[in-house]
Amino acid sequence: QRHVVILCSSDLDDNMPLLNGPEALVTIRMMQPGVPAVLTSGHPDAEAAADRFNGDAPTRFLPKPFAPSDLMRTMRALLEVKR
């Protein structure tokens, strides 16, 4: 793989085509370690699954449904942690 990935942050849903959010995050962090991420899901047990990423890099979980302002607040908090 010779792709260059430059990410400031990523918003990943638990239910996506090909890879779910956690699987996609593992792949992204193999190419770009430390990238902050927001995992989102409407499944009640998804937050517990997202907890396994807390030690790797700044990661937050945002339950669905959420308002755009909630996503913006969460993304700002992640980017502040990254600095």
Side-chain angles (χ1 to χ4, degrees):
Q1 294 178 347
R2 302 184 131 243
H3 299 96
V4 175
V5 177
I6 300 173
L7 295 171
C8 292
S9 65
S10 182
D11 173 20
L12 302 168
D13 188 89
D14 188 47
N15 187 14
M16 298 188 317
L18 302 180
L19 297 174
N20 65 32
E23 292 168 340
L25 184 56
V26 167
T27 301
I28 290 168
R29 286 191 174 158
M30 284 179 6
M31 294 181 282
Q32 184 82 26
V35 68
V38 177
L39 295 166
T40 65
S41 179
H43 297 284
D45 60 341
E47 185 170 8
D51 284 344
R52 72 179 188 195
F53 293 102
N54 283 336
D56 297 340
T59 306
R60 298 289 185 276
F61 177 78
L62 192 57
K64 288 183 177 180
F66 55 84
S69 60
D70 294 332
L71 178 58
M72 292 299 297
R73 185 174 25 262
T74 302
M75 296 295 278
R76 279 191 196 107
L78 273 179
L79 295 176
E80 288 298 318
V81 169
K82 183 73 175 156
R83 290 182 185 173

